[in-house]
């Protein structure tokens, strides 16, 4: 990834957890070392909260209520609190979110294919997922 500033659409996609894993990691690392970038990201989040302006915005706001891939991962591993697990179950079963359902299917395949790293992932997911869910 180049050193110049990231585009707004890229940061929006990052917020929605829609980028390939490698790119998510690169942006996360840059956010830690570049306070200006973090500030830009925070301003997007603030703008989102101010109102809905377009179909794209509606779509993104809906997506914001979806648990992240990491949260879904810890759900699969059973490494989360009952309250969070209940939120995910109601989101997928009652709201019927296909996006999360397919994400979950995908993660389940990955975990089955790669049991050696499951323990490490369990640790990582548990640490990073606490407090990330929006209020139910
Ligand atoms: Zn969802």
């Amino acid at each position: 990834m180049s050193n110049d500033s990231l585009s707004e659409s890229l940061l929006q996609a990052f917020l929605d957890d829609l980028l390939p894993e490698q790119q998510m990691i690169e942006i996360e690392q840059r956010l830690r070392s570049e306070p200006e970038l973090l500030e830009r990201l925070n301003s997007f989040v603030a703008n989102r909260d101010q109102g809905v302006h377009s179909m794209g915005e509606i779509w993104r706001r809906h997506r914001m209520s979806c648990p992240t891939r990491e949260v879904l991962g810890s759900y699969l591993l059973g490494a989360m609190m009952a309250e969070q697990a209940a939120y995910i179950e109601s989101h997928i079963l009652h709201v019927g979110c296909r996006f999360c359902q397919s994400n979950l299917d995908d993660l389940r395949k990955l975990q089955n294919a790669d049991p050696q790293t499951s323990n490490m992932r369990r640790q990582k997911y548990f640490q990073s997922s606490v407090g990330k869910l929006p209020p139910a």
Side-chain angles (χ1 to χ4, degrees), residues 59-70:
W59 186 86
R60 283 196 290 268
R61 286 178 70 90
H62 167 73
R63 195 60 81 228
M64 286 293 280
S65 72
C66 289
T68 65
R69 250 177 107 83
E70 282 199 329

Side-chain angles (χ1 to χ4, degrees), residues 62-63 65-67 91-92 95 97-101:
H62 167 73
R63 195 60 81 228
S65 72
C66 289
H91 180 75
I92 292 170
V95 180
C97 182
R98 285 172 183 221
F99 179 81
C100 289
Q101 183 62 64

Side-chain angles (χ1 to χ4, degrees), residues 1 10 14 17-30 69 121 124:
M1 193 177 293
L10 197 64
F14 171 79
D17 207 10
L18 294 175
L19 298 173
E21 191 172 1
Q22 189 52 42
Q23 214 170 357
M24 295 292 295
I25 292 168
E26 280 173 10
I27 294 178
E28 263 178 49
Q29 284 168 346
R30 288 189 59 173
R69 250 177 107 83
R121 281 173 183 269
K124 181 184 159 222

Side-chain angles (χ1 to χ4, degrees), residues 3 6 12 23 30-31 36 39 42 46-47 62 75-76 94 98 120 123 125 127:
N3 226 8
L6 300 170
Q12 299 280 11
Q23 214 170 357
R30 288 189 59 173
L31 285 170
E36 303 85 8
E39 207 161 298
N42 283 336
N47 284 337
H62 167 73
Y75 168 73
L76 274 183
H94 301 137
R98 285 172 183 221
M120 276 170 54
Q123 200 60 20
Y125 285 137
Q127 282 161 6

